[in-house]
Structure formats: structure tokens, C-alpha cells
Amino acid sequence: MAEKKHGVIYWITGLVSVCILLGLDQWTKHLAVTHLAGQEDIILIPNILQLHYLENRGAAFGVLQNQQWIFIILCLLFLAFAVYAYAVIPKTKHYVPLNLITVVLVAGAFGNLIDRIRLKYVVDFVYVSAIDFPVFNVADIYVTVSAVLLFIYLIFFYREEDFTFLTFKKKNGQ
């Protein structure tokens, strides 16, 4: 019974975390639409960082413009895998970083998916002018930071045998 209760808490915690992160992403995009669309950029740090409204109809660096269906399909496939992974990741201290990374990745992917479905574009608004980096948003930060952390954990912390839970082998030697 305690294990079942722990499992419910695990799922509720994950869902609430995704909702909070998703809410932050959507709120910042709402602020961008409300205060930046059709306005001059807001310079935060001269020649380094500014807020610049952009309706992104493609991926990073403007590739695949107006091909929203590709992004929607890929995102739904990713979300299905992420939910599966979240379900099978062992609920031990060793896997806490992997659980957190999964939650943040899901929030980022879902944040941009909402925009693509609802608006047919993604609202971007953070621009690093010092390096002329593509304009991005909070969901992009979630995905990028999570992906980097996942890479670091895969290289330096987890070992191949730590991922046996992802195999599709049948139980009891069948």
C-alpha cells in the first residue's frame, strides 16, 4: 500500500511540476505578446541582451518554416516516450536527476507545442544580441538546459547498466 501511495505522489509531483513550469512559460509568452508585439525592443543589457518579439514559424535558425505538422508529430512522439520513461524510471535517489530532467524537458516541449497548435507559431522574445543568437523563450531554455544536463549525466554519472529499465525484454525469460 505504501508503494502505491508513493507512486501516486510521484505522478502528482511530476504533473504539478510540469504545470508550474508550463504556467511560467505561457505567462512569459503572454507578457511578450502584451508588451513587446509591435513595440521597440527592450534593452536589458546594452549590446548583450534584449527582449525582442518574434513569431517563430519554424525551428531554430529558421529551418522548416511553416511546417508545424512536423513539429507537432515529433513533439507528440517525444512526449509519449518521455511519459513512458518517467513511468519506468526507478523511484530511487540515484534516478532523481533523471526524473527532474524528464519533467523539465516535458514542460519545455509541451510549452512550445501549445503555441504551435493554438497560434500556428511559437512566441519567442529573448535575444542575445552580443552573439546574434536566435531569439528564444522560456520553454526553449527548459529544453536546452535539460538536454545539456542529460548529456552531462549520461557521460559522467550514469552507466549503461543504469538503463536496463528501458529495455523491452519479457519477464520470466519469456
Side-chain angles (χ1 to χ4, degrees):
M1 183 68 167
E3 187 175 312
K4 185 176 181 180
K5 182 180 176 184
H6 178 70
V8 170
I9 291 170
Y10 174 78
W11 280 100
I12 290 172
T13 302
L15 183 61
V16 168
S17 299
V18 167
C19 288
I20 289 169
L21 292 169
L22 187 57
L24 179 61
D25 170 64
Q26 292 296 300
W27 179 63
T28 58
K29 289 173 180 173
H30 170 75
L31 291 174
V33 169
T34 303
H35 299 287
L36 293 173
Q39 304 296 318
E40 292 291 319
D41 290 1
I42 297 173
I43 308 300
L44 299 175
I45 304 171
N47 300 316
I48 297 178
L49 183 66
Q50 60 196 57
L51 300 178
H52 170 82
Y53 181 79
L54 177 71
E55 295 175 357
N56 184 353
R57 288 173 168 76
F61 307 104
V63 298
L64 296 173
Q65 288 292 311
N66 298 311
Q67 301 297 314
Q68 297 305 319
W69 63 273
I70 293 173
F71 299 114
I72 290 170
I73 290 170
L74 290 174
C75 187
L76 290 172
L77 289 171
F78 168 77
L79 288 171
F81 175 76
V83 169
Y84 166 76
Y86 190 75
V88 299
I89 293 171
K91 284 45 166 186
T92 65
K93 190 186 280 189
H94 182 67
Y95 292 98
V96 167
L98 198 55
N99 286 311
L100 293 173
I101 288 168
T102 303
V103 164
V104 177
L105 275 169
V106 165
F110 198 54
N112 284 339
L113 178 64
I114 289 171
D115 284 12
R116 291 186 193 286
I117 292 172
R118 188 172 63 91
L119 304 170
K120 307 291 187 250
Y121 57 83
V122 174
V123 174
D124 288 333
F125 56 91
V126 180
Y127 177 54
V128 182
S129 56
I131 57 173
D132 195 26
F133 196 79
V135 182
F136 57 96
N137 61 46
V138 173
D140 296 335
I141 294 169
Y142 296 161
V143 171
T144 303
V145 170
S146 296
V148 168
L149 287 174
L150 179 60
F151 178 76
I152 290 169
Y153 272 97
L154 290 175
I155 298 298
F156 297 109
F157 183 73
Y158 292 114
R159 302 288 171 243
E160 185 175 340
E161 56 270 12
D162 289 330
F163 292 95
T164 56
F165 64 86
L166 285 176
T167 61
F168 295 101
K169 293 179 185 174
K170 294 181 181 178
K171 295 181 180 179
N172 300 329
Q174 297 176 344

